[in-house]
Amino acid sequence: MFQTDARQGGAVTDVRPFQIRGRFLTAVSLQPAGGLPDAAFWDALDEKLRQTPHFFENAPLVLDMGKAPEIASNADFRAILRELRQRRLSAFGVFNATDEQVAAAEAAGLIRISLGRDAPLPSRDRRSPAGRDPKRLLPPDNLVIERPVRSGQTVMADRGDLIVIGPVSSGAELIAAGNIHVYGRLRGRAMAGVHGDQNARIFCHDLDAELLAIAGLYRTSDNIGDALRHCSVMVRLEGESLHVEPVGGTDADTARSKR
Amino acid sequence: MKEERGNSKVIVITSGKGGVGKTTSAGAISAALAKRGHKTVVIDFDVGLRNLDMIMGCERRVVFDFINVIQGDAKLKQALIRDKRLDNLSILPTSQTRDKDALTQEGVKKVLDELREDFDYIICDSPAGIERGAHLAMYYADEAVIVTNPEVSSVRDSDRVLGLLNSKTAKAENGEGIKAQVLLTRYDATRVENGEMMTVEDVLDILAVPLLGIVPESQAVLRASNLGVPVVLDEPSAASRAYESAVARLDGEELEIKIESERKPGFIGRLFGRAT
């Protein structure tokens, strides 16, 4: 199943305001049979959703009208859409539809889709719809560094967590797709969740960082404040702000007295 | 690495930052090693600037240099200058008319291998910076002495150099670590007390490598270099004693590190056990 997608270029550095690109995406197709879906139909669908709760959640969905010529009015489509949305299924188009159905569906906010070819969902992909992304198929690759990370060095864990056992000097950079742990003093920069993982966190034994960032949101040393300097901290994203809090039972005073 | 002298050591004296006392230290360390009875040679890698031969007081005796040897224009024995004060100390001066591009990795290796056959210690005086000259000076080193002043930019540059030592040297590429130690120079106890200079603890905390010694800021150092005498061969001073004890530790002796100040003779600073 495919669709073209015009994506707004979000980068500030982009000269053009947008980019247009062809994008392929996998969508789930739902083929109702017979007349307007009734309670039994929705019960059966609920049962199916229960079996694989995460598979269908917010999955792009198209309606295959090939076996339901009776569904033709705008009200029918609106009713179906309402039910689907309640089940967190996002229907966006119809195919195999008659002209009459297309007109009614378009009035309900669906688009007409013409298909290249049809294929059943391969059974091995049933558990992970995103499994087609090759990056997702690779296991995480965590990186453990057991010596000081020095000024001018960059250490990157592109597919996992980065664990540093030793100090990280001012002018050094830690970059990780996942979490960053520093068992030592962190004086340099730490950037976690660089591929956009907002659940990534930074843990460090002794905070004295120049910059902390998670999923692109950052704070420099000026904005981190002195209260937690030289403390064991955890940094995480809370909504749209970076949250630095003590962790590991060390309060600010004991951490300071360690110095 | 050669059969007869399996224990010959190549030690690079480096810092990243300029003006911290690399050449002075290279001269003092090599003279002190020679005084201790080791056959020592000191090589000037600072192609184009050529200061080591002045510090060693042999600038008028330079005929052939390191670059001539690398390029095959002269034999190593022709370029080596034997010190007039210590006959087991030699100097391999560099060229003043060429630049660092004249150094080649194979050339440096060939010269070092040849020197390993005759000398116990080969001291490489690195140029400032982290470019070609500094890189080649450290590339074949077995050990490193990082010369640092107790001052933030010097410490940061030293940290950068430590990173390079652990990634861009023959030993590092072989997966072996390179033994690196800090030599703190131009240390002024009074200014440290006043908070104008970093403390030894702060420096070591950042660099996370053992301390080799602390050389106090001293008039004797400037005097000695103007005379063309390595400070340890000049009249006794706090600086010369500091270099001698640092070299004793470099040579494997276990000594406590004292901070001696020139201004208040006899003042013994805090004692530091050697970090391991």
Side-chain angles (χ1 to χ4, degrees):
Chain A
M1 199 135 307
F2 62 90
Q3 186 207 12
T4 46
D5 166 37
R7 194 180 61 110
Q8 204 94 16
V12 187
T13 51
D14 214 330
V15 183
R16 290 168 301 167
F18 60 83
Q19 294 178 320
I20 294 178
R21 286 182 185 164
R23 286 290 166 105
F24 288 84
L25 66 89
T26 307
V28 179
S29 122
L30 179 68
Q31 188 180 47
L36 187 67
D38 53 10
F41 174 92
W42 294 118
D43 285 346
L45 183 62
D46 285 337
E47 178 58 32
K48 186 78 189 163
L49 294 181
R50 261 194 297 279
Q51 287 166 8
T52 50
H54 299 296
F55 178 26
F56 292 103
E57 192 164 292
N58 289 326
L61 185 139
V62 289
L63 294 170
D64 181 351
M65 306 313 293
K67 289 188 179 167
E70 297 89 334
I71 305 174
S73 79
N74 181 252
D76 293 348
F77 279 107
R78 287 187 191 280
I80 292 172
L81 280 181
R82 195 169 54 243
E83 292 285 346
L84 288 174
R85 290 221 176 92
Q86 278 172 11
R87 289 164 178 80
R88 301 184 63 111
L89 294 170
S90 317
F92 65 89
V94 290
F95 68 105
N96 274 344
T98 62
D99 289 345
E100 191 194 356
Q101 284 176 318
V102 167
E106 281 178 344
L110 295 170
I111 58 168
R112 169 192 221 155
I113 289 165
S114 36
L115 283 184
R117 66 192 164 84
D118 205 2
L121 269 177
S123 56
R124 63 189 149 81
D125 272 5
R126 191 156 288 163
R127 309 244 336 245
S128 86
R132 282 163 187 267
D133 183 354
K135 279 202 154 173
R136 287 286 195 85
L137 289 174
L138 296 168
D141 193 2
N142 299 328
L143 183 61
V144 182
I145 304 288
E146 292 186 80
R147 58 177 182 208
V149 182
R150 309 225 173 245
S151 183
Q153 288 183 322
T154 298
V155 184
M156 180 152 187
D158 199 26
R159 285 190 294 113
D161 291 0
L162 174 58
I163 296 124
V164 179
I165 303 158
V168 177
S169 296
S170 135
E173 273 185 349
L174 306 180
I175 302 172
N179 305 307
I180 294 177
H181 301 250
V182 180
Y183 299 96
R185 186 174 296 176
L186 170 60
R187 291 191 188 82
R189 302 153 158 249
M191 287 159 264
V194 285
H195 297 322
D197 182 0
Q198 305 199 344
N199 294 317
R201 295 182 184 199
I202 300 169
F203 301 86
C204 84
H205 229 57
D206 185 341
L207 176 75
D208 194 6
E210 289 169 348
L211 180 138
L212 297 168
I214 293 174
L217 248 97
Y218 68 90
R219 274 215 225 171
T220 56
S221 60
D222 292 344
N223 304 323
I224 295 168
D226 285 337
L228 289 168
R229 198 167 291 270
H230 302 304
C231 293
S232 293
V233 298
M234 170 170 77
V235 186
R236 62 193 169 92
L237 261 191
E238 214 171 67
E240 285 292 288
S241 77
L242 213 61
H243 201 71
V244 185
E245 58 197 74
V247 75
T250 350
D251 62 77
D253 295 329
T254 52
R256 235 174 254 125
S257 67
K258 267 195 319 197
R259 262 199 98 201
Chain B
M1 307 270 169
K2 285 288 151 80
E3 296 72 47
E4 318 92 276
R5 282 187 183 270
N7 55 351
S8 94
K9 262 189 201 164
V10 177
I11 300 176
V12 61
I13 314 293
T14 185
S15 72
K17 195 171 187 295
V20 296
K22 276 183 303 298
T23 302
T24 308
S25 298
I29 288 171
S30 45
L33 282 167
K35 253 172 103 178
R36 292 174 67 86
H38 300 292
K39 260 201 109 185
T40 306
V41 59
V42 54
I43 310 175
D44 191 350
F45 273 79
D46 201 351
V47 186
L49 291 174
R50 219 186 94 182
N51 290 148
L52 180 72
D53 45 315
M54 299 179 79
I55 298 266
M56 302 301 283
C58 63
E59 72 271 22
R60 294 175 181 281
R61 297 166 62 205
V62 176
V63 181
F64 295 108
D65 58 47
F66 190 24
I67 302 300
N68 293 141
V69 179
I70 284 181
Q71 298 191 331
D73 300 334
K75 292 210 168 65
L76 183 57
K77 295 226 157 39
Q78 293 176 292
L80 283 174
I81 301 171
R82 182 164 291 188
D83 189 87
K84 282 193 168 161
R85 297 148 296 212
L86 295 163
D87 66 357
N88 54 354
L89 175 63
S90 296
I91 296 115
L92 183 54
T94 194
S95 164
Q96 199 162 15
T97 52
R98 309 297 298 271
D99 61 32
K100 275 136 188 125
D101 294 335
L103 289 170
T104 61
Q105 189 157 314
E106 307 75 55
V108 171
K109 180 173 170 31
K110 195 168 154 281
V111 171
L112 289 178
D113 284 347
E114 211 176 324
L115 290 171
R116 276 181 198 272
E117 289 177 25
D118 287 327
F119 291 92
D120 302 320
Y121 282 101
I122 300 151
I123 306 298
C124 301
D125 178 25
S126 169
I130 51 174
E131 272 72 49
R132 188 177 181 85
H135 179 233
L136 287 174
M138 70 169 71
Y139 190 77
Y140 292 106
D142 300 312
E143 282 187 32
V145 173
I146 315 289
V147 182
T148 304
N149 294 163
E151 172 258 326
V152 281
S153 64
S154 170
V155 172
R156 173 181 281 205
D157 289 359
S158 298
D159 190 52
R160 179 89 169 93
V161 165
L162 279 164
L164 296 176
L165 282 166
N166 286 311
S167 59
K168 299 272 168 68
T169 55
K171 281 211 152 190
E173 284 168 9
N174 263 334
E176 293 169 65
I178 188 162
K179 185 180 176 190
Q181 299 177 89
V182 186
L183 182 67
L184 209 54
T185 55
R186 311 196 66 170
Y187 186 85
D188 188 329
T190 325
R191 295 187 66 189
V192 170
E193 271 171 48
N194 294 343
E196 293 165 30
M197 268 188 173
M198 290 171 78
T199 66
V200 183
E201 291 99 326
D202 283 348
V203 175
L204 295 183
D205 189 36
I206 290 175
L207 297 182
V209 288
L211 179 64
L212 180 67
I214 300 166
V215 180
E217 173 83 31
S218 164
Q219 294 299 319
V221 174
L222 186 63
R223 197 188 98 91
S225 38
N226 285 334
L227 289 174
V229 180
V231 69
V232 293
L233 300 182
D234 201 20
E235 57 197 39
S237 63
S240 72
R241 283 188 292 276
Y243 273 118
E244 275 176 358
S245 75
V247 167
R249 282 185 288 273
L250 192 64
D251 200 20
E253 258 183 61
E254 295 201 4
L255 279 180
E256 274 178 319
I257 295 177
K258 292 175 190 170
I259 303 176
E260 206 181 333
S261 161
E262 212 70 89
R263 288 186 200 166
K264 298 185 226 160
F267 168 79
I268 308 268
R270 293 154 73 183
L271 305 174
F272 292 91
R274 236 184 131 196
T276 44

